[in-house]
Amino acid sequence: MPISHSSLLSSTPASIRSLWLSALAMLLALALSSAAFFAPTHFLPWLAGIELVLLVHGMLNQGKISGLVRYIVLQLLFTIVLYLAIHGGNKVSEGVLAVARILLAIVPGWWLTNTVSTEAIGAILGKMMPNKWAFVVVASINLLPYMANEVREIYQLQRLRGARIAPKQLLNPRNWGEFSYCVIFPLLIQLLKLARQTAVAAKARHFGYHAKRTLWPSQRSEHDN
């Protein structure tokens, strides 16, 4: 028998406290990510200081920062090349500022996924939105590491085939189309296949059959209890 949502989350005061802390962490991440785009420029150093604390905390919780660094470096390179091609060297600083805002928007989500369990995120989202939507969000979060590995494997295989998608080659906008054809399109195909497999697995487990959502406790919860 699956453990009901209410019995799993309301069994002990510690579970309730952990759920509230997880909810506060989600609100904090949402507020910081939103502020990264809407806050005035002179507030960004303060925001960066707060997120630096989150970054250190996430790394102490075994969070891997290498993927985040690679993404920001590539984003910075693409943005600078794009601004140079369109505006020349006059507005490069605006491109750097845009990338800085993207980084400040990503860090809270990275911190959240490394400090709050997906079970807690799913439980909280299940109280605020339909269960099927909450399932999609949590499944997407769980699949992020898998998709990162897929991107890495596709990229390496295409490099071995001779595709012009090395970092230095991507500085040339003429090679961006090849990057889309060799990496982005295969990744989209993999995403479609994975979405279908997830839907089949959920259907096989009768997801959505009961009006009241049920879920299994995580291994960590079983050991703690």
Side-chain angles (χ1 to χ4, degrees):
M1 289 289 291
I3 298 177
S4 68
H5 189 179
S6 58
S7 64
L8 175 62
L9 299 176
S10 305
S11 57
T12 62
S15 299
I16 299 176
R17 184 170 60 254
S18 177
L19 186 62
W20 276 105
L21 290 175
S22 300
L24 290 175
M26 292 177 64
L27 289 175
L28 176 62
L30 179 61
L32 292 175
S33 295
S34 300
F37 290 111
F38 299 112
T41 304
H42 61 274
F43 282 137
L44 293 184
W46 295 96
L47 187 61
I50 296 173
E51 294 194 8
L52 180 61
V53 176
L54 298 184
L55 197 64
V56 173
H57 183 253
M59 293 174 64
L60 292 176
N61 281 275
Q62 309 292 323
K64 295 182 179 180
I65 197 175
S66 57
L68 184 64
V69 172
R70 283 197 298 268
Y71 172 79
I72 291 301
V73 170
L74 288 175
Q75 184 69 43
L76 183 62
L77 290 175
F78 283 139
T79 303
I80 290 177
V81 170
L82 192 61
Y83 268 75
L84 287 174
I86 297 176
H87 303 290
N90 298 327
K91 296 187 178 181
V92 173
S93 59
E94 294 182 7
V96 174
L97 179 60
V99 175
R101 287 185 180 273
I102 293 174
L103 173 61
L104 293 175
I106 291 176
V107 169
W110 174 87
W111 168 76
L112 183 68
T113 56
N114 284 286
T115 55
V116 178
S117 67
T118 52
E119 292 84 5
I121 294 176
I124 295 167
L125 292 178
K127 292 180 177 296
M128 299 186 296
M129 61 177 63
N131 293 328
K132 291 183 179 180
W133 293 11
F135 171 77
V136 170
V137 173
V138 175
S140 300
I141 293 174
N142 279 331
L143 291 175
L144 284 177
Y146 171 79
M147 294 312 303
N149 290 331
E150 284 292 308
V151 172
R152 189 180 303 111
E153 291 180 2
I154 292 173
Y155 177 80
Q156 292 174 349
L157 288 174
Q158 296 292 6
R159 286 285 307 278
L160 291 174
R161 292 180 61 249
R164 297 187 298 273
I165 56 175
K168 292 182 179 180
Q169 293 170 328
L170 289 177
L171 294 176
N172 185 353
R174 295 180 179 178
N175 294 328
W176 293 359
E178 188 165 355
F179 179 81
S180 299
Y181 180 78
C182 294
V183 178
I184 302 300
F185 290 164
L187 179 62
L188 291 176
I189 294 173
Q190 286 295 101
L191 282 173
L192 291 174
K193 291 172 58 179
L194 188 59
R196 179 176 177 81
Q197 292 171 358
T198 303
V200 171
K203 184 177 180 180
R205 289 164 174 78
H206 301 284
F207 180 80
Y209 182 78
H210 297 286
K212 187 175 183 180
R213 184 184 178 194
T214 59
L215 50 87
W216 293 99
S218 65
Q219 295 295 325
R220 181 172 55 188
S221 300
E222 292 176 355
H223 291 313
D224 292 342
N225 294 333

